[in-house]
Amino acid sequence: MKPRLLEKFNKDVVPAMEQKFGIKNVMAVPRLQKIVINMGVGKATGDINILESAVKDMTAITGQKPIIRRSKKAISNFKLRESSPVGCKVTLRSVKMYEFLDRFVNVALPRIRDFNGVSRKSFDKGGNYTLGITDQTIFPEIQLDHVPAPQGMDISFVFNHGPQEQTEEVLTLLGMPFRKK
C-alpha cells in the first residue's frame, strides 16, 4: 500500500508545481530524497543508559534502528575520548520517509505548546530544510513514564535538486505548517 503523502505528491503536488513554476518536465520537480534524523546525546559520555534510552526512543519514532555516532577525536575540555558514543542517527527513504513526514506534520507538530509554525529561514543553498525539535515527547509513540530527560533532535529534509522557493512550495503543499510571512 502506498503512503498517503506519496499519492498526494504524485496527484496534487507535481501538477501544482508544474503550473506555478512553469516546469515542463515532470522529473524537474524537486522531490524528497531522504529524511535524516539526528539526536546528539552529549551526556552519554558519563552515562551510557541515556544513549540506550535515546536509541529506543528513536526506534519507536521512526520504525528503524538508528546507528550510533561516535566521536572522531578526543576533547579534554568536554571529557570526551576518541570513538566514544555521542549520538544516534537514522536515514529514512521511500515509504518510511513519507509515513514519518505524514505523522510528523499531522500528529507531532500540533502537539507542540504555543505552536505558530516552523521557520522559513532554515533552508540551505541546495534547497534542503533542517529544523530542530527540543523535546522528543511530542511524538505519541514515546511513553512519558520511561523518559529520563527531554532530548532534542535535528530533522533534515533533503531534496534531489531545486532552489529554495520550489522546495519550500513542495513542503507547503505536503502540509508543512510554515509561519505566516
Side-chain angles (χ1 to χ4, degrees), residues 109-120:
L109 284 179
R111 292 179 61 161
I112 296 176
R113 183 183 302 231
D114 299 331
F115 182 68
N116 294 327
V118 295
S119 174
R120 294 178 184 268

Side-chain angles (χ1 to χ4, degrees), residues 43-91:
K43 298 176 186 174
T45 57
D47 187 11
I48 197 69
N49 292 333
I50 296 173
L51 181 68
E52 291 174 359
S53 173
V55 167
K56 187 179 74 171
D57 289 348
M58 193 175 285
T59 304
I61 291 169
T62 61
Q64 185 172 315
K65 188 169 184 334
I67 60 170
I68 295 176
R69 304 295 293 176
R70 299 188 174 273
S71 63
K72 294 181 180 177
K73 59 182 182 178
I75 303 172
S76 63
N77 289 345
F78 297 121
K79 298 180 182 173
L80 184 66
R81 293 186 177 146
E82 188 175 345
S83 74
S84 61
V86 292
C88 51
K89 177 183 103 167
V90 170
T91 302

Side-chain angles (χ1 to χ4, degrees), residues 3-5 35 37 57-64 90 92 95-111 136 138-142 155 157 174-177:
R4 188 171 61 103
L5 275 186
I35 296 176
I37 304 163
D57 289 348
M58 193 175 285
T59 304
I61 291 169
T62 61
Q64 185 172 315
V90 170
L92 301 172
V95 174
K96 286 188 180 184
M97 171 183 67
Y98 283 104
E99 289 175 353
F100 173 79
L101 180 61
D102 192 12
R103 284 186 291 117
F104 180 69
V105 168
N106 296 317
V107 178
L109 284 179
R111 292 179 61 161
Q136 84 270 27
I138 62 169
F139 292 96
E141 297 88 1
I142 303 297
I155 303 172
F157 301 94
L174 287 175
M176 183 70 76

Side-chain angles (χ1 to χ4, degrees), residues 51 75 94 103 125 129 133 154 178:
L51 181 68
I75 303 172
S94 68
R103 284 186 291 117
K125 291 181 182 178
Y129 183 70
I133 303 293
D154 296 323
F178 288 106

Side-chain angles (χ1 to χ4, degrees), residues 134-150:
T134 56
D135 191 7
Q136 84 270 27
T137 58
I138 62 169
F139 292 96
E141 297 88 1
I142 303 297
Q143 296 176 357
L144 297 175
D145 303 339
H146 298 76
V147 176

